[in-house]
Amino acid sequence: MKVVRNGEAHRASRTGVIRPSGRPSDLSSELPLDTILRGDCVAELSKLPARSVDMVFADPPYNLQLQGELKRPDDSRVDAVDDAWDKFESFQAYDAFTRAWLLAVRRVLKPTGTLWVIGSYHNIFRVGALLQDLDFWILNDIVWRKTNPMPNFRGRRFTNAHETLIWAAREPGAKGYTFNYEALKAANEDVQMRSDWLFPICSGGERLKDEDGRKLHPTQKPEALLARVILSASKPGDVVLDPFLGSGTTAAVARRLGRHFVGIERDPTYADAAQARIDAVEPLPDLALALAPTAREAPRVAFNSLIERGLLAPGTLLTDAKARTRALVRADGTLSLETAPGLGQIGSIHRAGALAQGLDACNGWTYWHVETREGLKPIDTLRAVMRSEMAMAAE
């Protein structure tokens, strides 16, 4: 693990620590990997090679514009965010600051890299507008819904129970950026992952404390939130950069998930605490980090191989999900439609499915279903059996 002070790198000896799996490619090899850079984020970003980072997670100052102390009904003071780093003279000053760090981040992002920014209603709309002004391409906005938000003590507004994350590509029309769709869907009970996420705020043993037992950093994010972000938009061995590292959540989670990190933090107290936190993290084994294969990466299975394997017999009737359209499985692996509008026509599972619906194209694996003991199942479940057998044979 490296610690950088005043631009000079010093290697801290650590015994028995496993490095993140995977090797960075391209200009990533010139980065100060797994390092906390201490200093101003724009200045430190300017020292990094261009187009070298796979993903950026940014938790910038929110510019909360707090006026006076915030108190509970019993007149006790709320430990709110009133640190100097969150204060700006005006919205114009905040916009200039945001523009500067966004441009610096864009320079170090790979063309296939993406940026995540988190914020509240105080700043996220200004950040979003500047992202678009600078030609980033917004892919999603994510709502982090908090299960245990701080109540609104004054009773004059709704409880602020969420924050917003913006996920953006480096430029319009970006291709090749990482989105681990299949893994997210599999982890979500085979349902597409939605853009509203439910997590508690950081509390309990995860919350870093100072010597007096008070929370060390006022806006420490929960590790579960960062884990979903990193798992969704990066791969093992990728480089994740956080220009506002704070208490080190991004780096700690990246290390545990087998990613490299580069963190930037100007506050020495936060940087020291983040370093100690990261040093205590043990990366997960490679087997636990392997990504689920995408549909394109899965072995190709011909429909006829299901017949040859005995998973589907010639003469079997296939139907659509509602059992309204029927087709007969032929010995040569084609289907013969038995219901209008394609009555009597013969074709592949895809062609027959398209004819049955009056469409130009169709995914026959998901359209056609077969009757099983558990009811109608898409024939794609039979293809999954074949792929599983192929994977076992390859081991």
Side-chain angles (χ1 to χ4, degrees):
M1 181 70 66
K2 297 177 184 175
V3 180
V4 174
R5 295 184 176 87
N6 300 323
E8 297 184 358
H10 304 271
R11 182 170 297 279
S13 63
R14 291 170 45 201
T15 305
V17 174
I18 304 171
R19 302 290 287 182
S21 60
R23 290 187 176 182
S25 59
D26 307 324
L27 292 174
S28 300
S29 59
E30 300 177 19
L31 287 167
L33 294 177
D34 308 320
T35 298
I36 299 177
L37 305 175
R38 303 188 181 213
D40 173 77
C41 70
V42 175
E44 295 301 325
L45 284 167
S46 69
K47 303 173 186 177
L48 303 180
R51 301 188 173 201
S52 59
V53 171
D54 298 288
M55 195 197 94
V56 174
F57 180 85
D59 185 5
Y62 285 12
N63 192 26
L64 295 181
Q65 311 124 43
L66 294 179
Q67 299 175 350
E69 289 189 346
L70 182 60
K71 294 187 176 181
R72 299 181 178 85
D74 62 2
D75 207 38
S76 61
R77 182 178 178 275
V78 176
D79 189 12
V81 182
D82 55 3
D83 302 77
W85 50 259
D86 193 63
K87 296 178 181 178
F88 293 81
E89 294 180 358
S90 63
F91 287 126
Q92 290 74 21
Y94 185 79
D95 290 349
F97 160 77
T98 302
R99 183 183 181 87
W101 75 257
L102 284 175
L103 285 170
V105 159
R106 181 171 182 166
R107 187 186 71 83
V108 301
L109 265 179
K110 293 179 180 179
T112 55
T114 56
L115 164 67
W116 293 76
V117 187
I118 188 170
S120 68
Y121 71 87
H122 302 88
N123 71 322
I124 199 65
F125 302 111
R126 307 188 79 85
V127 172
L130 283 166
L131 280 168
Q132 292 179 320
D133 288 346
L134 296 175
D135 282 337
F136 284 87
W137 189 255
I138 295 178
L139 300 168
N140 275 113
D141 66 323
I142 305 294
V143 175
W144 166 30
R145 192 169 143 233
K146 304 173 182 179
T147 60
N148 53 342
M150 180 183 293
N152 184 270
F153 295 109
R154 292 175 178 170
R156 296 178 180 176
R157 302 182 185 182
F158 296 105
T159 297
N160 294 323
H162 78 278
E163 292 184 30
T164 301
L165 297 91
I166 297 176
W167 182 38
R170 187 177 182 272
E171 55 199 20
K175 296 181 180 179
Y177 61 84
T178 297
F179 178 51
N180 298 316
Y181 169 83
E182 284 83 3
L184 292 169
K185 183 177 179 181
N188 196 41
E189 298 184 352
D190 288 327
V191 177
Q192 288 186 349
M193 186 67 72
R194 292 161 50 109
S195 61
D196 50 339
W197 298 354
L198 190 65
F199 292 109
I201 62 174
C202 184
S203 60
E206 187 180 319
R207 170 71 76 170
L208 299 190
K209 303 291 180 61
D210 62 18
E211 294 179 353
D212 298 322
R214 295 174 299 190
K215 59 186 179 183
L216 180 77
H217 194 289
T219 63
Q220 181 179 338
K221 297 300 183 289
E223 291 192 2
L225 178 68
L226 266 297
R228 183 171 293 181
V229 168
I230 291 172
L231 287 170
S232 68
S234 70
K235 301 174 182 176
D238 279 357
V239 179
V240 178
L241 182 143
D242 188 332
F244 308 98
L245 188 63
S247 60
T249 304
T250 303
V253 175
R255 179 170 171 75
R256 190 176 78 244
L257 296 178
R259 277 71 168 168
H260 294 281
F261 72 86
V262 176
I264 302 175
E265 178 52 52
R266 68 182 185 182
D267 186 297
T269 300
Y270 296 159
D272 288 344
Q275 187 70 67
R277 179 183 185 184
I278 297 162
D279 287 348
V281 173
E282 287 292 336
L284 293 170
D286 289 347
L287 186 61
L289 297 172
L291 294 173
T294 66
R296 292 182 180 180
E297 295 170 336
R300 185 179 181 276
V301 175
F303 177 69
N304 192 49
S305 63
L306 302 185
I307 299 172
E308 296 168 346
R309 170 66 178 76
L311 295 175
L312 203 60
T316 301
L317 278 178
L318 303 182
T319 71
D320 64 343
K322 296 183 179 180
R324 294 175 180 173
T325 302
R326 298 190 306 275
L328 182 74
V329 176
R330 290 161 46 91
D332 61 0
T334 59
L335 300 186
S336 174
L337 286 169
E338 293 203 341
T339 48
L343 181 61
Q345 295 200 54
I346 297 172
S348 68
I349 57 172
H350 309 299
R351 178 60 179 159
L355 287 169
Q357 299 173 87
L359 301 176
D360 293 330
C362 168
N363 182 351
W365 290 108
T366 56
Y367 177 76
W368 293 111
H369 288 60
V370 62
E371 188 68 44
T372 71
R373 293 178 180 178
E374 292 80 28
L376 280 178
K377 296 288 185 181
I379 59 173
D380 200 28
T381 59
L382 302 180
R383 180 170 64 164
V385 172
M386 289 286 296
R387 283 176 170 168
S388 177
E389 292 179 349
M390 293 166 70
M392 292 179 63
E395 292 180 354

